[in-house]
Amino acid sequence: MFDNIVSETGDPGRARRLYYRSVYAIVTVSIVGLLAGMATGRELIGTSIYCVGVWLGGGISFLAPKLTDVPLQDERDTDLYNRASGLTLGVLFVGGLSVIPVIYVLEAARRIETPPEVNGAIFLASGLFLMWGVSYGIVKRR
Amino acid sequence: MENNLPRRREAAGLSQGELAEAVGVTRQTINAIERERYDPSLELAFKLAAHFECHIEDIFQPEENND
């Protein structure tokens, strides 16, 4: 499909724009579907739309560059993703290090009572860092 | 990293898109290299040097202020 666009128009940029717009549109529709399902009490339909959309968008973003000769992504895209991911983790790490111990100490001293949402966020951040550590170990050995 | 890629590309009569297609990257990547906002991988630097039939150091030079 992307090869056809380039052979017809001679413009790889058009294929690249179609690729990114398709992926972003599918993921956006899936998120809107999930939120709409939650808002209207149709959670099953919302989550179904979300799952299909995320898998479809993820599948296209992963497989399309491998199935075409058109450079839909290149090394600079990978570099940008890596830098953005590193920045995100860095901000989370610094934020977590400065906030989580304080929360635990104040809660232990019965100065504050953390709501379940905060505990959930702490578990989520901890899981993220654990996953990052495992991924780092795997990548280091490859 | 400094580079003279714009001068070489223009001397060869190529657009950014044409050069990008020749070395298998996007036009945005060539643009970012020319504006010195992105340092290419060694593989891409070799491809660019091969395309212009010169050595990598003929295109890319380390910035003079780097210690």
Side-chain angles (χ1 to χ4, degrees):
Chain A
M1 177 179 158
F2 296 111
D3 297 280
N4 290 343
I5 291 171
V6 175
S7 62
E8 285 170 12
T9 65
D11 180 13
R14 186 173 288 191
R16 186 176 149 86
R17 283 193 294 277
L18 176 66
Y19 164 72
Y20 276 104
R21 284 175 187 170
S22 303
V23 172
Y24 290 149
I26 290 167
V27 172
T28 301
V29 167
S30 69
I31 292 171
V32 170
L34 177 67
L35 295 175
M38 287 165 65
T40 58
R42 293 172 178 153
E43 290 85 1
L44 196 60
I45 296 174
T47 47
S48 301
I49 293 171
Y50 179 76
C51 287
V52 170
V54 165
W55 277 100
L56 189 63
I60 291 172
S61 70
F62 180 74
L63 289 175
K66 298 184 187 310
L67 298 175
T68 177
D69 294 328
V70 180
L72 299 174
Q73 292 181 344
D74 65 11
E75 60 176 54
R76 181 168 157 271
D77 293 308
T78 308
D79 182 62
L80 292 173
Y81 294 144
N82 290 343
R83 282 164 54 195
S85 303
L87 182 64
T88 305
L89 274 174
V91 169
L92 278 175
F93 190 69
V94 171
L97 268 184
S98 52
V99 171
I100 292 172
V102 174
I103 289 174
Y104 279 136
V105 169
L106 291 179
E107 190 177 35
R110 297 183 189 282
R111 298 274 184 181
I112 61 168
E113 192 171 328
T114 52
E117 291 83 1
V118 173
N119 286 326
I122 291 172
F123 277 120
L124 185 68
S126 304
L128 187 67
F129 282 117
L130 183 65
M131 198 165 81
W132 182 86
V134 171
S135 300
Y136 181 83
I138 292 169
V139 170
K140 196 176 167 185
R141 280 166 177 75
R142 281 174 68 185
Chain B
M1 192 77 76
E2 294 174 343
N3 71 78
N4 56 27
L5 193 60
R7 186 172 57 76
R8 284 184 179 273
R9 177 178 59 74
E10 285 163 12
L14 293 170
S15 68
Q16 288 183 341
E18 287 166 338
L19 178 59
E21 199 171 350
V23 295
V25 295
T26 62
R27 187 193 59 77
Q28 286 83 354
T29 295
I30 296 297
N31 183 46
I33 294 169
E34 290 191 353
R35 293 167 66 193
E36 297 178 359
R37 295 185 67 178
Y38 173 67
D39 290 334
S41 68
L42 203 51
E43 184 185 358
L44 178 54
F46 269 112
K47 281 184 184 173
L48 289 166
H51 184 81
F52 290 113
E53 296 178 342
C54 62
H55 296 107
I56 289 177
E57 59 267 35
D58 295 331
I59 303 176
F60 298 98
Q61 300 86 32
E63 287 179 35
E64 288 179 3
N65 290 336
N66 278 2
D67 292 330

